[in-house]
Amino acid sequence: MPFALAFSRQTLFALLGITAFASVVLVDYWNKQMRRERRPLLLVGRFNQGQLRDVSSVYDEAQGEATDVLRALRRDGYAIRLLSEAVDRGEAPATAAAAAAAEANRSSARVDEDPVVVPRVVHYVFLGSDLEFTLSNYLSFLSVERFVKPAQVLVHGDTAPRGVWWDRALRDVKNLYHVRRPYMDTAPNERPLRYMAHASDYIRADILMRYGGIYLDGDVLVLKSFDPLLKYRTVLGRETSFGVCNGIIVACKGAPFIRLMLEQYRSYEGFEEEWALKSVENLHRLVAMYPHLVRLEETSLNRPSWFERASLYHHQYDWSKNFAVHLFVRSWPAVMRPSSLEELMLLDSTMGEMTRAIVYGSDRSNRSVSIWTTRQQRIGLLMML
């Protein structure tokens, strides 16, 4: 009997311990999910939608036009930022709401009435003092020179890239410049940035907001002219059914959607921030909320996706309708990466096809590696570069 009693007590304590642990895990999971639900930028800054409606009702009683603020919010989210800053300055909510709605309406009208002009300037962001410019970076820059024909190619970062491929890019790409941009340690809300990639995410949006142009990740290959995309205020590409990627962005100066991308960093969560929350997941939500502010390319910018990347290096993917392809080169084992342009061109894969198209300037006429029957012929063709 004592043994049974002791056993039952041990079992009871064990069950209580398991229950307590499971409760902690579930509560933590629930809190994270709730944070995720709050993060999609239905509201920006300090205000949530309930608070905005409260402010609007005050404004409604005073002026009779509460819907102006809500309409401005639905359009581009700018009213929330203006409203937050006005209240921070001590202005009365009704007055702040009126001014925010009016300014947001003026901002939207300017964008809607003026013709969209995306400058033919390509931006890259390279951060880190020990960053070496690679073959895939060089190929990206060469593809821009071939198909975009940019007025300028600007590399933003805290230090200039280095290495033999950077030297070659300086030789082969016209109007290529390094623009010094100090590294960011903290988000606009003063929370520490968890990853260097998050600094890059913010900087690229800030650059496009200020100047407009085309932003590309360093491992993006352009495969045909971007001219059809330059008439839209903002262009992004879908990567998956649940994600829109910021590795390729086309935008005019002051584009409202780019403003939204920047605003989300006012709610950055420091070391709790997830890797792709603001660069992929939130963009998917923002596109769904503000489809009139962005042109979404479903398959022509970010496909193959991260989950389909094997088709780049080991198979053939039909990229004939792609404006560009994101290589996700970090997923390609270093020991398997070619070390020269010649090796890339001899690959019998999608990567080889695209390299040959970039080097020779023809969409797919050089897709087959079998057109070179001998090594001497291949070398002879390469000497034409």
Side-chain angles (χ1 to χ4, degrees):
M1 185 69 176
F3 174 76
L5 183 60
F7 178 78
S8 62
R9 285 178 178 173
Q10 290 177 352
T11 303
L12 178 62
F13 289 142
L15 290 174
L16 288 173
I18 293 172
T19 303
F21 176 76
S23 299
V24 170
V25 172
L26 287 172
V27 168
D28 181 64
Y29 174 79
W30 175 257
N31 287 335
K32 288 182 178 179
Q33 292 302 309
M34 291 300 292
R35 285 200 300 271
R36 286 173 72 95
E37 289 304 315
R38 287 197 297 271
R39 276 183 261 177
L41 296 195
L42 286 168
L43 336 158
V44 185
R46 298 189 306 105
F47 289 84
N48 60 40
Q49 196 159 6
Q51 289 171 314
L52 181 68
R53 289 197 183 101
D54 292 341
V55 173
S56 293
S57 65
V58 173
Y59 178 47
D60 187 28
E61 295 172 4
Q63 304 291 336
E65 296 182 9
T67 55
D68 279 3
V69 178
L70 294 176
R71 189 181 300 115
L73 168 63
R74 283 194 295 271
R75 184 176 57 250
D76 66 5
Y78 190 30
I80 292 253
R81 166 73 176 274
L82 297 171
L83 187 55
S84 175
E85 292 176 347
V87 173
D88 285 343
R89 291 193 299 267
E91 297 182 18
T95 303
E103 175 57 27
N105 286 332
R106 284 195 297 270
S107 173
S108 177
R110 285 195 296 270
V111 172
D112 291 338
E113 293 170 4
D114 294 342
V116 175
V117 178
V118 176
R120 200 178 293 273
V121 176
V122 176
H123 303 276
Y124 291 88
V125 176
F126 283 73
L127 299 174
S129 58
D130 59 345
L131 187 66
E132 183 170 359
F133 198 80
T134 66
L135 172 58
S136 60
N137 299 147
Y138 169 77
L139 192 61
S140 175
F141 282 47
L142 195 64
S143 73
V144 165
E145 179 72 10
R146 171 70 71 180
F147 294 114
V148 177
K149 297 180 174 30
Q152 291 180 320
V153 179
L154 304 180
V155 181
H156 305 260
D158 45 351
T159 58
R162 57 181 175 79
V164 62
W165 291 109
W166 172 249
D167 294 337
R168 187 161 176 177
L170 289 171
R171 185 196 73 185
D172 296 339
V173 179
K174 295 187 289 291
N175 299 314
L176 170 60
Y177 304 98
H178 176 257
V179 180
R180 189 176 183 280
R181 173 84 183 227
Y183 180 74
M184 290 177 58
D185 292 313
T186 59
N189 65 354
E190 304 300 326
R191 300 292 292 274
L193 290 170
R194 184 176 182 182
Y195 302 107
M196 184 181 294
H198 292 172
S200 175
D201 291 338
Y202 183 86
I203 289 172
R204 71 189 64 174
D206 182 63
I207 290 167
L208 292 177
M209 187 68 186
R210 293 171 183 268
Y211 310 110
I214 301 166
Y215 168 80
L216 301 176
D217 274 357
D219 59 345
V220 167
L221 301 184
V222 177
L223 300 171
K224 63 181 177 182
S225 172
F226 269 40
D227 284 1
L229 304 179
L230 301 182
K231 62 183 179 181
Y232 300 103
R233 288 180 290 179
T234 303
V235 181
L236 290 166
R238 179 170 298 286
E239 184 179 341
T240 65
S241 61
F242 53 85
V244 173
C245 184
N246 71 346
I248 305 170
I249 311 172
V250 178
C252 65
K253 176 182 177 181
F257 194 87
I258 302 300
R259 183 188 295 129
L260 285 174
M261 292 174 62
L262 289 169
E263 289 294 330
Q264 62 180 328
Y265 287 88
R266 291 163 63 88
S267 60
Y268 190 84
E269 296 193 348
F271 293 116
E272 295 184 3
E273 184 74 22
E274 297 174 25
W275 171 264
L277 177 68
K278 290 178 169 55
S279 60
V280 177
E281 297 174 28
N282 268 6
L283 292 190
H284 169 71
R285 298 182 179 107
L286 285 171
V287 168
M289 292 166 59
Y290 304 103
H292 56 297
L293 296 181
V294 59
R295 163 78 176 187
L296 184 65
E297 291 291 318
E298 291 289 343
T299 60
S300 64
L301 287 179
N302 284 302
R303 299 290 300 277
S305 71
W306 170 264
F307 303 101
E308 303 163 324
R309 60 192 184 279
S311 62
L312 292 172
Y313 303 114
H314 307 295
H315 310 291
Q316 265 76 31
Y317 180 88
D318 183 5
W319 47 271
S320 59
K321 297 182 180 179
N322 280 55
F323 287 102
V325 163
H326 199 161
L327 296 180
F328 306 105
V329 74
R330 287 176 299 174
S331 67
W332 198 4
V335 295
M336 298 178 62
R337 297 177 199 170
S339 58
S340 70
L341 196 59
E342 178 187 7
E343 289 181 57
L344 275 176
M345 294 179 67
L346 296 181
L347 292 177
D348 190 16
S349 64
T350 305
M351 187 67 197
E353 289 180 9
M354 295 187 299
T355 302
R356 294 188 287 275
I358 291 166
V359 170
Y360 293 108
S362 176
D363 286 348
R364 304 202 78 176
S365 60
N366 294 302
R367 65 168 295 179
S368 176
V369 72
S370 63
I371 64 170
W372 301 315
T373 57
T374 69
R375 179 174 177 80
Q376 287 73 25
Q377 287 175 311
R378 298 167 188 166
I379 294 175
L381 287 170
L382 285 166
M383 290 177 66
M384 295 169 59
L385 294 177

